[in-house]
Amino acid sequence: MDAQGRGHAGDIDPADQWVLNPRTGNYELRLNPAGDPSGGAPESGRAAPPHQRGPAPGESTGRRPAPGGTGAATSGTGAARAGTRSGEGTGTRSGGAGQRLPAQRGRRAGGPQRGGGPVSRRKPKAKPPRRKKVLRIGGGAIALLVLAGCTTASVLYFKLNGNIDKVDVGIRNDATTDGPVNILVIGTDARTGKGNEKYGDLDSVGHADTTLLLHVAKDRSNATVLSIPRDMVTDIPACPTQQPDGSEKVIPGEQGVRFNESLGQHGRDPGCTWRTVEQLTGLKINHFMMADFNAVKTLSTAVGGVEVCVAKDIDDPKSHLKLSAGTHVVEGEQALAFVRTRSSVGLGSDLSRIELQQQFLGSMFRQMKSAETLTSPTKLLDLADAATKALTVDTGIGRATDLAALARDLSRVPPKNITFATVPVLDNPAETVKTTVVLDEAKARPLFEMVKADKSLTETGKKKAGDAKGGAAEPAKAPAAEVRVDVLNGGGPIGAAQQTVSWLQNSQGVSLSRNAGNAEAEQPATTLSYGPDQAGQAATLAELMGLPKSALKEQAADAGPGVPMTLTLGGDFDAAGTPLVAPDKAPEGVQKINGGDDAVCAK
């Protein structure tokens, strides 16, 4: 290596090759260690170092004088580096008599010499211990990750928040509650949205095509999902709606129209469907969620597909569903075709389609709760994005944080404790060609009361009939046509006795019922008095009326043939068909499936 490299050529320190030129007053690089008194030109291409002042008279240089006084410097060997730094004569670094040179640049004058040469003036920085260095780097990385996470969360929040559409229905409830929760889920048949124009009526304003009432018990132990048939004839109450200019317009109510007209028709918004369902069921709704056809497509894709089962081959030209008998995983367009199919399953009615939708929803909920979905950040993000894009909600859950809080609360219910049921209906007796249905009061009212009382429709955790030991045997129920009863009004609403008799005769087949007028005195609770020989009749009437066991009053002696029982309506009576106590079991004939049952197969 040359003298300007890392090594020292001929044991010459490169710093000693800078020499003061007395003619110019500048230091110059000379490769000849012996020096040139006349001062040669500096090495080509090297810039002269900055001028450095010499020590003032009497100023110490911090170095010991060389032995032998002045002129004792040697040349050509390493001893030159150990010689005097001041003095006169050939070979010294003095530019003139009495002139002294400053200490070497970058070296500590008078300091300890390492390897025979001077050391740097600067004190080297102490390096941090390796452990501290690792912590410093690790802390920085964690800080970056936290910052990135916060930024991502912020961006994600605003993205999801921007996805949500809201409708002010004039009712504002908190996102979550400590009590029971009722969520109205509306599937509209509006053809708006990318890819939906091929499904039919492009001019449809969007009616309540699929309507579900999700009830979650106060303790979150069970849930019931009631499907409301769209072709059910009902009454729609007047409802206030918010107009684009901020004003309010009240849409008049209607009697005896299809339920699906509670949305869209005459400008009705989801608040009108909300109020219709509350009037129908007696349940107070907390929130609503409305979605179009795209919701099924995007949500089914986000969870990685939904497993469904059909018992026979399906080739439906209307919904475009083609499935062979057996189990399939559907998503996107195929999932939408599945939930829209009706003519190829069951009786080909809307009620048959509801059963397909219940199977689909139960399976999708199980998929959402599965480990594969919950442990996949990609699936969770896709699901959140799809859900917020698909939904229109009330202002109480109009933010992503509100929806997330509600979802966390409702997700506590195990799938096996969720029951999907259809509101009981009958063919409309006023129609020759059956196109609509009416509410089956005898079955629907007890079902609504069960839901209101947080009673599960599943058999999970319930004792089966006959499990209780020591209980008295239930009497065999008599046919409704054999039930003979006199009805008295002893504290119910005016006209309650006649209204009850009409309901029993026209809706329940109890033709031997009779209005016996008012009771001699009012009583707080409804009672049914009967003889031991009328136990079967009493059991039938108690079930039809929804009477608690405490209402049954058995007399000591038989009543005898042709003698009627006595039903006295008390202050606790509201209306015929409204049970006085919620039953523990759903009425017979109510269509339902369990949310945890993965063996459901459409027929």
Side-chain angles (χ1 to χ4, degrees), residues 215-296:
H215 171 83
V216 181
K218 179 178 180 179
D219 62 2
R220 308 301 186 256
S221 64
N222 68 85
T224 301
V225 183
L226 295 177
S227 295
I228 303 175
R230 67 177 186 176
D231 295 326
M232 181 180 67
V233 174
T234 190
D235 296 338
I236 299 175
C239 59
T241 60
Q242 298 293 320
Q243 302 302 301
D245 61 0
S247 63
E248 182 179 280
K249 178 181 179 181
V250 176
I251 309 298
E254 286 187 276
Q255 288 72 46
V257 296
R258 293 178 190 245
F259 173 83
N260 69 343
E261 294 183 22
S262 64
L263 177 69
Q265 200 79 0
H266 306 302
R268 294 188 178 104
D269 66 11
C272 299
T273 308
W274 179 319
R275 292 169 174 85
T276 301
V277 174
E278 284 190 338
Q279 178 178 276
L280 176 70
T281 64
L283 293 161
K284 285 295 180 182
I285 294 173
N286 301 83
H287 302 289
F288 88 86
M289 298 178 184
M290 183 172 68
D292 61 15
F293 290 156
N294 282 326
V296 176

Side-chain angles (χ1 to χ4, degrees), residues 224-485:
T224 301
V225 183
L226 295 177
S227 295
I228 303 175
R230 67 177 186 176
D231 295 326
M232 181 180 67
V233 174
T234 190
D235 296 338
I236 299 175
C239 59
T241 60
Q242 298 293 320
Q243 302 302 301
D245 61 0
S247 63
E248 182 179 280
K249 178 181 179 181
V250 176
I251 309 298
E254 286 187 276
Q255 288 72 46
V257 296
R258 293 178 190 245
F259 173 83
N260 69 343
E261 294 183 22
S262 64
L263 177 69
Q265 200 79 0
H266 306 302
R268 294 188 178 104
D269 66 11
C272 299
T273 308
W274 179 319
R275 292 169 174 85
T276 301
V277 174
E278 284 190 338
Q279 178 178 276
L280 176 70
T281 64
L283 293 161
K284 285 295 180 182
I285 294 173
N286 301 83
H287 302 289
F288 88 86
M289 298 178 184
M290 183 172 68
D292 61 15
F293 290 156
N294 282 326
V296 176
K297 294 187 285 188
T298 56
L299 290 174
S300 61
T301 301
V303 297
V306 177
E307 186 176 280
V308 297
C309 178
V310 291
K312 61 182 180 180
D313 294 347
I314 293 180
D315 186 357
D316 192 333
K318 294 183 179 179
S319 69
H320 307 293
L321 178 67
K322 289 186 178 182
L323 287 179
S324 59
T327 301
H328 303 269
V329 175
V330 297
E331 61 179 90
E333 293 286 348
Q334 192 178 35
L336 179 59
F338 183 84
V339 298
R340 293 185 68 238
T341 293
R342 60 175 174 173
S343 60
S344 300
V345 292
L347 299 176
S349 66
D350 186 52
L351 299 178
S352 298
R353 186 183 67 154
I354 284 176
E355 294 181 35
L356 281 182
Q357 293 170 349
Q358 292 173 346
Q359 179 195 155
F360 179 86
L361 290 171
S363 180
M364 186 163 71
F365 187 74
R366 292 193 301 272
Q367 180 67 17
M368 288 179 179
K369 294 273 287 185
S370 71
E372 291 181 1
T373 300
L374 296 178
T375 58
S376 171
T378 302
K379 282 189 178 181
L380 286 175
L381 179 57
D382 289 347
L383 185 58
D385 189 42
T388 50
K389 283 180 178 177
L391 296 176
T392 298
V393 300
D394 62 278
T395 51
I397 49 174
R399 298 179 301 175
T401 49
D402 295 331
L403 273 175
L406 181 62
R408 284 193 300 270
D409 184 30
L410 302 186
S411 66
R412 293 156 54 188
V413 183
K416 66 180 181 178
N417 289 352
I418 300 177
T419 305
F420 292 86
T422 303
V423 171
V425 292
L426 300 168
D427 288 336
N428 189 347
E431 293 180 336
T432 303
V433 178
K434 306 301 182 184
T435 59
T436 61
V437 292
V438 295
L439 189 70
D440 185 346
E441 296 277 355
K443 295 178 181 178
R445 294 305 168 192
L447 179 62
F448 296 155
E449 291 301 316
M450 282 189 69
V451 174
K452 192 183 299 184
D454 280 355
K455 294 190 176 182
S456 175
L457 271 65
T458 71
E459 296 300 321
T460 305
K462 290 183 178 179
K463 290 184 177 181
K464 294 182 180 180
D467 285 350
K469 297 181 179 179
E474 293 289 336
K477 295 183 179 66
E482 296 179 7
V483 173
R484 190 184 296 270
V485 60

Side-chain angles (χ1 to χ4, degrees), residues 528-554:
L528 175 61
S529 298
Y530 64 96
D533 58 339
Q534 297 171 319
Q537 296 182 50
T540 299
L541 188 62
E543 182 179 59
L544 293 176
M545 296 288 297
L547 302 178
K549 289 184 178 180
S550 59
L552 303 183
K553 306 297 182 183
E554 184 177 359

Side-chain angles (χ1 to χ4, degrees), residues 173-200:
N173 294 325
D174 291 337
T176 58
T177 175
D178 292 335
V181 180
N182 294 302
I183 309 291
L184 184 65
V185 182
I186 307 170
T188 173
D189 59 0
R191 267 61 176 177
T192 55
K194 184 178 180 181
N196 292 334
E197 62 278 356
K198 60 186 177 182
Y199 294 118

Side-chain angles (χ1 to χ4, degrees), residues 505-518:
Q505 292 179 350
N506 299 328
S507 298
Q508 307 306 312
V510 184
S511 57
L512 299 179
S513 55
R514 186 182 63 171
N515 180 2
N518 293 328

